[in-house]
Amino acid sequence: MASNLPTLIADRFRIQSLVGLGTVVRVYRAVQEPLDRAVALKVLNPELADDPSARRRFFREARSAARLNHANVIQLYDFGETDEGQLFLAMEWLAGGSMAQWRKNPPPRPVLIRAFEELLLGLAAAHGRGVLHRALKPDNLLLQGKVSEPERLVITDFGMASVFDAAQGTTSGETVAGTPRYMAPEQVRQDRPATPETDIYAVGTILYEMLTGSPPFCGDAEEVMAKQVS
């Protein structure tokens, strides 16, 4: 196992396999004991254990997920810190893939329509609680079950989420967030707070990509951001 973590995390999560490795986090399939429940265990990488920015993002994801309870939003089971000082999140385990796999193998149109209906339902629930995702992309839209005909779509990865106050018209955590090809113009320009429409813009770009096989704007990050605001 490519990790210095013990086999048992926090005396209750037994790691089975490494399923994802990024610059900030690594994700394991684990079993929560003694419940015998499969979980996705997201752990902050060891070299970032003392990084204030990385820790804030991790806390932000935990708080955002904890505010939400909806079938189309990832369910948070637990949050804590290991004896080695590494933050972890335990979430529901989804056996399937992500919408990113539809880029090369698009599903039948009714399946695609149902998935986007569920995406909008999940976003409506989040927005109703004042939570903006701000970083939607096909990779963090998970599919439970068969990728070709999933049982459910689930929104995950709320690490860049913020809280929107509709009455005040303000948004917490205002930083440049998201993947350029899915970012709304206001995210690129940083000329006004993100709003629920910011997430809806991302949904539109993702839908365009799923229907056509490519995003609305292509190029390197700077070129794409310039096209988003032109």
Side-chain angles (χ1 to χ4, degrees):
M1 182 180 303
S3 170
N4 61 357
L5 286 173
T7 302
L8 191 65
I9 305 300
D11 298 322
R12 58 191 181 279
F13 297 107
R14 187 167 299 280
I15 291 178
Q16 294 187 322
S17 60
L18 178 68
V19 296
L21 179 61
T23 57
V24 178
V25 300
R26 57 192 63 188
V27 181
Y28 299 93
R29 188 187 192 279
V31 173
Q32 184 179 6
E33 300 178 342
L35 301 180
D36 195 30
R37 175 169 64 180
V39 300
L41 193 69
K42 180 181 286 190
V43 182
L44 189 64
N45 283 337
E47 59 272 20
L48 298 175
D50 297 320
D51 184 290
S53 177
R55 292 178 69 87
R56 280 196 301 271
R57 177 172 176 173
F58 218 81
F59 274 108
R60 185 186 302 121
E61 180 169 5
R63 285 194 296 267
S64 297
R67 292 169 68 101
L68 306 175
N69 181 20
H70 191 273
N72 301 117
V73 176
I74 194 74
Q75 184 177 356
L76 177 68
Y77 293 148
D78 202 352
F79 170 74
E81 190 168 357
T82 69
D83 292 338
E84 292 77 22
Q86 291 175 257
L87 297 175
F88 68 87
L89 287 168
M91 300 168 290
E92 63 177 313
W93 172 259
L94 297 172
S98 75
M99 193 178 282
Q101 293 170 263
W102 286 354
R103 291 187 178 111
K104 294 183 178 180
N105 297 291
R109 191 60 56 87
V111 173
L112 186 66
I113 291 172
R114 186 175 71 249
F116 274 87
E117 288 175 344
E118 293 182 352
L119 169 55
L120 292 172
L121 287 172
L123 277 181
H127 295 165
R129 297 286 294 167
V131 176
L132 307 180
H133 192 285
R134 299 200 305 156
L136 289 171
K137 57 183 178 180
D139 305 78
N140 55 34
L141 301 176
L142 303 185
L143 306 171
Q144 182 180 34
K146 293 172 58 178
V147 174
S148 60
E149 193 172 355
E151 302 166 14
R152 180 169 58 116
L153 177 140
V154 179
I155 305 169
T156 189
D157 194 3
F158 283 82
M160 297 307 298
S162 60
V163 176
F164 177 68
D165 186 327
Q168 299 295 324
T170 58
T171 305
S172 66
E174 281 300 298
T175 58
V176 177
T179 301
R181 66 178 60 178
Y182 310 110
M183 289 170 64
E186 63 270 19
Q187 289 179 288
V188 176
R189 292 192 299 256
Q190 299 186 71
D191 58 349
R192 63 181 178 88
T195 67
E197 287 74 20
T198 303
D199 285 341
I200 299 303
Y201 183 94
V203 172
T205 62
I206 295 169
L207 178 59
Y208 183 98
E209 181 176 5
M210 294 301 111
L211 290 173
T212 68
S214 61
F217 305 112
C218 298
D220 61 32
E222 291 187 0
E223 289 173 336
V224 170
M225 287 192 290
K227 293 174 182 177
Q228 296 281 24
V229 299
S230 62

